[in-house]
Amino acid sequence: MKPPLFDYVTPESVEEAVAARAAEEDSVLLAGGQSLLATLNFRIANPALLIDISRIAALKGIDVGAGEIIIRAMVRQREVELSDAVHGANPLLREVLQKVAHTVVRNRGTIAGSIAHADAAAELPAMLLATEGVVDVQGPGGTRVIEASDLFKFHLTTSLAGDEMITAVRIPNLAPNTGWSFKEFARRRGDYALAGICALVTLDDNGRCTKARLSACGIASTAVRLESAEAELAGSTLDENTIARAAKAARDCVTAADDSQASTAYRRHLVDTLTQRTVAVARDRALERRAA
Amino acid sequence: MATAMFGERVQRLADAKLVRGEGRYIDDIPLEGALHVAFVRSPFARAKILSIDCDAAREMDGVAAVYTCDDLGRLDLEMPLLIPHPSLTEPRTQRPLAKGEVFHVGQTVAMVVAVDRYTAEDAIRMVDVDYEPLEVELDLEAAIQDDAPRVHADVANNVAAQFVQTVGDPDDAFARAEHITKIKVQVDRSTAAPLECRAIAARWDDITGELMVWDGTQAPISVRGGLASILGLDEDKVRVTAPDVGGGFGQKVLLFYPDELLVPFAAMQLGRPVKYIEDRNENFIGSSQERTQIHELELAATKDGEVLGLRDSFLHDTGAFIPYGIAIAQVASTSIAGPYRVPNIWVEFKAVYTPTVLVTPYRGCGRPQACFAIERAMDKLADELGLDRFEVRRRNLIRDEDFPYRRDGLVFADGLPLEHDSGQYGKALDMVLEHIGVDAFAAEQEAARAEGRYIGLGLGFYVEGTGLGPYEGSHIRIHPITGKVYVNTGLTCQGQGHETVFAQITADQLGVAVGDVIVVEGDTGVFDWGVATFASRAAVVSGNAIHKTALKVREQVLEAAANMLEAAKEDIVLEDGKAFVNGVPDMAVTLAEVATASNPLRYAFNEAAKTSTQFAPAFNHDGPALGEGDAPGMEATDYYSPPHATWAYGVHAAIIEVDPGLCSVKFKRYICVHDCGRMINPTLVEGQIMGGVAQGVGGAHYERIEYDEDGNPRNANFMDFLMPYASEVPPVEILHLETPSPLNPLGVKGVGEAGCIPVGQVLVSGVADALKPLGIGPLEHVPLTPDMIFQALGGEKDE
Ligand SMILES: Cc1cc2nc3c(=O)[nH]c(=O)nc-3n(C[C@H](O)[C@H](O)[C@H](O)COP(=O)(O)OP(=O)(O)OC[C@H]3O[C@@H](n4cnc5c(N)ncnc54)[C@H](O)[C@@H]3O)c2cc1C
């Protein structure tokens, strides 16, 4: 479990990093290293060059604006979790981050790194889908924005081109009259989830759901939106029967095959339960926020 | 009389060093110019090796040598069968490097020695091995069928050993039975996963012809003996020492792992120190594991739940090799009746080869399986008879007046007849039930159910034969200059705190502070008679050896001090590092003075030496300084050999909440009542229990070594092999019960393995109790995973 030989550079600007990436096809970006170093040590990855982006000043810092939270690529997960400004703008983030790994891992791991890594069981991609966030991307040809719904292609695969990198992750602030919830089931505290559900529901003055956004991790080859379940919720008062119907619809979004931790049937059961529980919590929080 | 240290909660002496990071593990030993080892390991469970090409690897920069079996000379051998047994008709053991065929994924095929581990890992990828894969069967029950693919071509049905033991007249008991309960249970494979993986370093000294070996082993003396004989060296020319070792749990007692032979061999061949630091992946695929057993057990009982007889037939997975013989299966088969009288027993097992890494004892050693089998059966019996499960246990427990309770016909793993020597089994059960509040619990359970919450009470009773022989020894010397007491014993410590309890035992006899007793273990250069650390035996066997030795040294000190102080020996008191005349504390000599005076040649190195000259001589006779039979110094050596295993026991109970929506479980309370005889140090006993429970929780709910149908390990890492974190292990409420062992002078029994034994049963019976209203199906398999709970609740329902 020792990595093979590789070269190592520490660019100080995004442009330099992108140039280094373009110059060596067999290169890989190093952010917090919490996923990458394990793949090197297991010799699953064998890159010729590691481009350490941790010294790029422009990739540091969080901006919380009127409409969105901008998290630059080298911001550590722990910093976002502890930020009161972020929490004030969108409390879903802290709730999700507390389920990502353990404190020592979050101290080094980045939000962008987790999203770029795109593990199908990771929590942050599901969060990005539910919040309808975007990532800012830069490559040799310039910059572009990729919406969450276009980003995740397969387990460990995104729609980023080989020579592009994420410079920031942008997440909309929580909309008014909106409640949130994230729940997962992991075998051990801090593990990747067997299934996790993110729920955001917006209520009108009559307590009707005007918008529901549900996403899941751990149940398919990528994080997924649960659109069929969202459709059940929209327009309803989120009564128990409706929630149960939505949960049943959510079950059918499970496409993961049986694995050693969970059968497909059991994952469907988890998704059902977690959908019911997250939607109920999100609804209650939405009602509270409306009342406040 | 000063306070006795025996029984005190003395803080662990090793901790200050270890928590400051001053521990010295094998990889911390500075060895200038050391070479590092990595192994080419088999990627196939069974295959023929057609060819091995090492040329490219040998030519790499930084590679010192590449070895295959053809390069090993006399080391190209089958490793010793450590414990032969007549029932073991087809013993097969591992080889240092594979010869012609491989028997499990991870088996060592070639060894690379290079300037560092990075280079060595690069080089193993350059060794080209041509394999012809063979058919395999991983399923234990399928493996014993006539047409099953064989692990060893000449071992039919993959059966290494088959053994039957009988107590009383089981057929008659079953003929008389008013009720028969049948059950089939399974426990899956796990691994010890010590924090420090295995490690070994060696240095050969050409000038003195001495081989120095640092081995993270539980058995340095045996490793020394084996190395000397295989390498053709005198035993005195081989020194094996186990420095600080980060956990063992049985995995580090095997002799030999390939590296234990090959690293010293390479050091001799290459004339440079050589190191092998096993990594976690190698530990999962190359170091021994244990647990898979499938038991089919029947109880013959009366209508009121008295068990008349037991029949058990089980399969034991021994992996690809069986160097330990039938030890694990034998412990399981002789522990199968648990704490119950059961006068008639028939127990049979087959030890079965599978194409997986070898199986040797792991903390618990067959007992968790036996406990799970008998305890699930007792619950089922109670259930079928409509009786209270605790009452059925009470009716069958060995009663206080039954001790010593023999099971004639069963031979324990020490090769001696099985006798439960002492205990208060009924009291232990009452204590745990009272402490958990069994009477109030029914109402709590009802109330919780009304809220849609499911809580259950789990309980498991275990027994453990501990302190197995044959013997251990000790050497104690009082240091003349400092008065400190050095204690040496042959077995080793992997973090348990031996140094503390052995110091307590010694301090009591010599009247010194515990901190002035320096315990040195696991170094054949210091003391080289003894066995090893396993089978919950250190406190019992080494502890009593040290006690006996300390008594001898005490006699010497009393005699010498009496001479020096010109007082009667009976009047001498040993306290605070001094000997003084009872009632006259001013008439005193320090132990340093006594030790100095007892050496006829005393240099005035220090104050103690100077002052000791003012006293009368330590030896009181005319003639030469050392009279006939005298020896210089205050020191002695003695040994302890137990008559047979001494049996500890205990009951664990827990309140468990199950969330049917997630099929998750939570221990809300966990209680342990245990009896390990007289406790030397309750804090250390509690540490052993808590660590054991943590490993037990792993085996009950989380840990399963998985192989795919081709025999590839599927979860050989800490992400996929679910060893519980601290967050998964409940706090344990521990209640002590002390029934002194009648078998040894200190009255102690072992406690090292106890904690892990009953946890599977505790969890499973608690879950079954919690989910009874939902009609849960039978739960007879651990680890019990959430998915298994889901299936037992009927799987997917379309509500
Ligand atoms: C013990 C442990 C437990 C964990 N548990 C969880 C868990 O429960 N849930 C979870 O979600 N994660 C978990 N993780 C993973 C953790 O969250 C990682 O930190 C995260 O997946 C990767 O972030 P990183 O900054 O460390 O990225 P790195 O490991 O440095 O990189 C990961 C990948 O992303 C690429 N990358 C990084 N930054 C960028 C960028 N700006 N643009 C483009 N590509 C980039 C890298 O090239 C690499 O391929 C765990 C990790 C550990 C060690």
Side-chain angles (χ1 to χ4, degrees):
Chain A
M1 289 169 76
K2 302 283 186 209
L5 210 58
F6 52 80
D7 281 328
Y8 173 81
V9 291
T10 54
E12 299 205 335
S13 69
V14 173
E15 290 68 27
E16 261 181 66
V18 169
R21 187 101 174 76
E24 171 56 83
E25 206 180 320
D26 192 11
S27 65
V28 56
L29 298 176
L30 171 65
Q34 297 302 295
S35 295
L36 182 59
L37 293 189
T39 56
L40 293 180
N41 287 341
F42 276 111
R43 297 196 179 210
I44 295 166
N46 193 358
L49 173 67
L50 247 59
I51 304 167
D52 182 347
I53 59 171
S54 66
R55 309 208 183 156
I56 302 177
L59 293 182
K60 298 195 176 155
I62 307 170
D63 284 339
V64 179
E68 65 177 6
I69 306 164
I70 302 175
I71 301 167
R72 292 195 185 80
M74 269 316 300
V75 174
R76 314 282 178 178
Q77 293 158 3
R78 182 73 170 161
E79 191 183 337
V80 177
E81 176 192 349
L82 295 181
S83 162
D84 289 335
V86 169
H87 188 61
N90 194 336
L92 177 65
L93 269 68
R94 184 176 289 173
E95 189 154 296
V96 170
L97 280 165
Q98 283 170 345
K99 302 285 186 187
V100 176
H102 316 271
T103 308
V104 286
V105 174
R106 296 197 298 274
N107 280 340
R108 294 207 58 84
T110 61
I111 304 276
S114 170
I115 286 168
H117 193 58
D119 192 301
E123 291 84 356
L124 291 171
M127 180 278 295
L128 198 71
L129 282 172
T131 56
E132 298 174 284
V134 301
V135 293
D136 291 339
V137 165
Q138 189 164 335
T143 62
R144 64 175 178 131
V145 175
I146 307 178
E147 309 221 338
S149 53
D150 289 332
L151 187 59
F152 304 109
K153 293 301 169 199
F154 196 68
H155 179 52
L156 307 181
T157 310
T158 66
S159 55
L160 258 72
D163 53 6
E164 285 181 318
M165 66 179 284
I166 297 176
T167 54
V169 178
R170 290 192 277 134
I171 295 151
N173 293 350
L174 190 70
N177 297 343
T178 299
W180 72 96
S181 175
F182 177 75
K183 287 184 191 295
E184 68 173 32
F185 180 64
R187 288 300 316 276
R188 301 172 299 183
R189 194 160 125 194
D191 281 3
Y192 283 103
L194 296 189
I197 304 284
C198 245
L200 289 168
V201 298
T202 308
L203 302 182
D204 68 11
D205 292 343
N206 302 318
R208 270 188 196 283
C209 175
T210 56
K211 182 174 177 182
R213 286 294 172 266
L214 300 182
S215 66
C217 56
I219 68 165
S221 64
T222 64
V224 286
R225 273 267 299 276
L226 307 177
E227 286 170 15
S228 52
E230 292 171 1
E232 293 285 349
L233 299 176
S236 82
T237 53
L238 303 183
D239 55 289
E240 301 305 320
N241 284 340
T242 309
I243 294 179
R245 268 204 316 280
K248 225 165 140 185
R251 280 198 219 174
D252 292 333
C253 300
V254 175
T255 55
D258 292 357
D259 63 32
S260 61
Q261 305 260 0
S263 60
T264 305
Y266 172 53
R267 275 211 166 80
R268 288 167 57 87
H269 178 71
L270 284 175
V271 166
D272 189 322
T273 302
L274 291 168
T275 303
Q276 296 197 41
R277 292 179 184 177
T278 49
V279 173
V281 169
R283 173 198 62 203
D284 293 347
R285 284 173 171 169
L287 290 169
E288 266 171 46
R289 276 168 73 93
R290 214 186 42 178
Chain B
M1 179 73 190
T3 333
M5 285 295 116
F6 191 108
E8 286 295 299
R9 289 182 177 272
V10 174
Q11 292 259 317
R12 287 165 37 110
L13 299 175
D15 283 355
K17 174 184 88 169
L18 296 177
V19 300
R20 283 197 202 105
E22 291 164 8
R24 213 167 54 136
Y25 299 84
I26 305 260
D27 205 20
D28 301 320
I29 290 167
L31 281 174
E32 216 179 316
L35 297 167
H36 294 257
V37 162
F39 288 98
V40 176
R41 292 175 181 275
S42 170
F44 294 103
R46 278 290 281 128
K48 279 192 188 140
I49 298 176
L50 302 178
S51 65
I52 306 177
D53 182 351
C54 303
D55 290 351
R58 285 195 174 114
E59 278 158 26
M60 282 176 63
D61 278 350
V63 170
V66 182
Y67 298 93
T68 69
C69 65
D70 295 333
D71 307 311
L72 299 183
R74 66 203 298 177
L75 264 63
D76 182 27
L77 43 66
E78 264 184 41
M79 307 272 206
L81 173 65
L82 300 167
I83 315 175
H85 190 273
S87 73
L88 180 54
T89 50
E90 301 291 346
R92 297 292 181 277
T93 58
Q94 69 285 10
R95 308 179 74 92
L97 294 173
K99 191 181 184 71
E101 51 184 335
V102 287
F103 300 90
H104 66 87
V105 172
Q107 188 179 346
T108 48
V109 173
M111 176 172 80
V112 170
V113 188
V115 289
D116 55 43
R117 172 76 186 205
Y118 294 83
T119 309
E121 285 193 27
D122 291 343
I124 57 176
R125 284 165 177 77
M126 304 299 287
V127 174
D128 190 11
V129 187
D130 197 5
Y131 297 97
E132 181 187 313
L134 300 170
E135 256 194 294
V136 293
E137 178 56 70
L138 273 290
D139 181 87
L140 210 50
E141 290 174 306
I144 57 170
Q145 303 307 316
D146 288 341
D147 53 353
R150 293 176 181 183
V151 177
H152 301 280
D154 54 349
V155 179
N157 305 79
N158 293 303
V159 174
Q162 181 166 4
F163 191 44
V164 177
Q165 299 193 70
T166 309
V167 178
D169 186 347
D171 287 344
D172 174 64
F174 276 82
R176 285 187 290 125
E178 293 166 0
H179 181 83
I180 293 177
T181 288
K182 297 186 183 190
I183 196 167
K184 180 173 173 183
V185 307
Q186 179 166 345
V187 176
D188 285 339
R189 189 185 278 211
S190 188
T191 185
L195 187 56
E196 184 199 20
C197 294
R198 294 189 315 93
I200 179 163
R203 186 176 60 203
W204 167 250
D205 186 330
D206 233 354
I207 296 167
T208 58
E210 281 171 357
L211 178 66
M212 177 72 213
V213 179
W214 295 264
D215 188 357
T217 178
Q218 297 172 228
I221 296 174
S222 319
V223 170
R224 196 274 307 262
L227 271 177
S229 73
I230 293 173
L231 296 172
L233 297 168
D234 286 345
E235 279 189 299
D236 271 11
K237 293 290 187 191
V238 182
R239 177 173 171 193
V240 178
T241 156
D244 287 320
V245 174
F249 314 107
Q251 193 187 64
K252 295 181 181 172
V253 80
L254 176 80
L255 36 138
F256 289 92
Y257 282 106
D259 46 273
E260 283 180 304
L261 272 184
L262 297 180
V263 166
F265 168 75
M268 291 173 73
Q269 289 252 315
L270 302 172
R272 281 173 72 179
V274 178
K275 235 183 202 187
Y276 170 66
I277 308 296
E278 180 190 64
D279 71 23
R280 186 59 65 185
N281 182 247
E282 292 175 295
N283 187 265
F284 271 109
I285 64 174
S287 287
S288 68
Q289 306 177 340
E290 195 218 298
R291 290 279 194 269
T292 308
Q293 286 183 357
I294 301 171
H295 288 250
E296 291 187 62
L297 190 144
E298 292 176 278
L299 294 178
T302 64
K303 283 242 169 325
D304 53 11
E306 189 193 337
V307 178
L308 304 172
L310 176 160
R311 281 193 195 126
D312 181 35
S313 174
F314 70 94
L315 301 179
H316 167 74
D317 169 14
T318 188
F321 305 109
I322 196 162
Y324 257 78
I326 61 165
I328 301 163
Q330 193 173 9
V331 169
S333 62
T334 46
S335 304
I336 195 66
Y340 310 112
R341 293 190 301 278
V342 194
N344 304 292
I345 299 172
W346 178 90
V347 57
E348 174 203 45
F349 65 79
K350 290 190 175 110
V352 182
Y353 289 119
T354 56
T356 60
V357 68
L358 78 183
V359 166
T360 68
Y362 156 42
R363 190 184 208 169
C365 181
R367 300 174 185 94
Q369 299 95 313
C371 175
F372 190 63
I374 180 66
E375 288 294 89
R376 291 315 294 137
M378 291 302 277
D379 280 352
K380 192 166 186 201
L381 173 67
D383 210 38
E384 289 173 355
L385 294 175
L387 297 172
D388 176 74
R389 57 188 157 138
F390 311 126
E391 183 52 32
V392 167
R393 284 178 168 78
R394 203 171 278 120
R395 286 177 193 170
N396 288 289
L397 286 175
I398 298 172
R399 294 160 300 217
D400 295 2
E401 62 273 22
D402 295 330
F403 290 106
Y405 185 81
R406 277 176 82 96
R407 296 197 194 273
D408 283 314
L410 295 189
V411 174
F412 194 55
D414 51 8
L416 299 165
L418 192 154
E419 184 178 285
H420 295 271
D421 48 282
S422 58
Q424 305 171 67
Y425 292 2
K427 185 170 176 188
L429 181 62
D430 291 343
M431 274 170 78
V432 87
L433 290 174
E434 191 191 320
H435 191 75
I436 207 160
V438 69
D439 295 334
F441 179 71
E444 271 172 57
Q445 192 176 37
E446 268 319 301
R449 280 174 190 166
E451 297 168 20
R453 293 192 305 115
Y454 296 88
I455 56 175
L457 197 164
L459 180 138
F461 207 128
Y462 71 90
V463 292
E464 186 197 353
T466 73
L468 278 65
Y471 82 104
E472 288 294 339
S474 117
H475 169 248
I476 297 180
R477 173 190 283 174
I478 302 174
H479 200 287
I481 294 179
T482 58
K484 292 201 180 189
V485 181
Y486 276 70
V487 178
N488 308 313
T489 186
L491 47 63
T492 62
C493 192
Q494 297 81 41
Q496 301 91 324
H498 292 173
E499 73 294 333
T500 309
V501 292
F502 292 164
Q504 287 175 263
I505 291 168
T506 309
D508 276 350
Q509 297 314 324
L510 299 181
V512 295
V514 165
D516 285 335
V517 182
I518 289 121
V519 176
V520 179
E521 291 176 273
D523 184 350
T524 62
V526 171
F527 192 82
D528 63 353
W529 291 111
V531 185
T533 299
F534 59 84
S536 302
R537 66 191 294 278
V540 178
V541 192
S542 264
N544 279 293
I546 289 166
H547 173 71
K548 286 176 68 186
T549 313
L551 282 172
K552 279 189 172 174
V553 177
R554 177 187 174 82
E555 276 304 300
Q556 294 172 358
V557 174
L558 291 176
E559 187 116 8
N563 286 338
M564 291 168 75
L565 297 170
E566 296 175 338
K569 190 170 136 195
E570 298 67 46
D571 289 339
I572 302 293
V573 179
L574 301 185
E575 219 175 281
D576 292 337
K578 288 190 215 110
F580 60 87
V581 179
N582 198 4
V584 197
D586 285 349
M587 283 186 67
V589 281
T590 65
L591 286 196
E593 286 164 346
V594 177
T596 303
S598 67
N599 180 358
L601 178 67
R602 5 175 157 152
Y603 292 113
F605 284 134
N606 67 351
E607 283 310 308
K610 281 185 218 154
T611 53
S612 67
T613 59
Q614 297 159 25
F615 295 97
F619 296 109
N620 190 12
H621 51 69
D622 301 326
L626 280 183
E628 201 52 42
D630 287 342
M634 299 281 103
E635 70 178 320
T637 301
D638 205 351
Y639 299 89
Y640 173 71
S641 182
H644 58 78
T646 180
W647 285 72
Y649 64 95
V651 205
H652 293 195
I655 305 293
I656 288 162
E657 178 156 1
V658 188
D659 176 348
L662 302 176
C663 302
S664 61
V665 302
K666 186 172 167 31
F667 288 96
K668 296 184 76 69
R669 278 182 79 192
Y670 197 102
I671 295 152
C672 159
V673 173
H674 80 102
D675 185 348
C676 62
R678 291 183 69 211
M679 287 188 291
I680 306 169
N681 184 328
T683 303
L684 270 76
V685 166
E686 287 162 9
Q688 287 299 308
I689 289 170
M690 286 178 197
V693 169
Q695 274 178 324
V697 167
H701 192 45
Y702 295 99
E703 299 173 352
R704 171 190 284 137
I705 293 284
E706 285 174 35
Y707 293 94
D708 68 16
E709 55 191 25
D710 296 326
N712 297 301
R714 284 211 298 200
N715 59 348
N717 61 67
F718 276 156
M719 185 161 115
D720 300 312
F721 175 79
L722 305 179
M723 184 160 82
Y725 304 131
S727 45
E728 278 62 55
V729 179
V732 183
E733 300 164 46
I734 300 173
L735 279 70
H736 302 295
L737 189 57
E738 288 184 90
T739 314
S741 169
L743 300 184
N744 61 68
L746 292 174
V748 298
K749 302 178 181 183
V751 71
E753 297 170 88
C756 75
I757 301 171
V759 188
Q761 155 66 10
V762 172
L763 175 82
V764 170
S765 60
V767 170
D769 186 41
L771 296 181
K772 212 178 228 164
L774 298 180
I776 183 92
L779 300 174
E780 286 154 6
H781 192 167
V782 282
L784 176 66
T785 64
D787 204 341
M788 287 159 73
I789 295 174
F790 170 73
Q791 304 300 346
L793 283 170
E796 184 157 10
K797 298 182 201 97
D798 222 14
E799 66 272 12

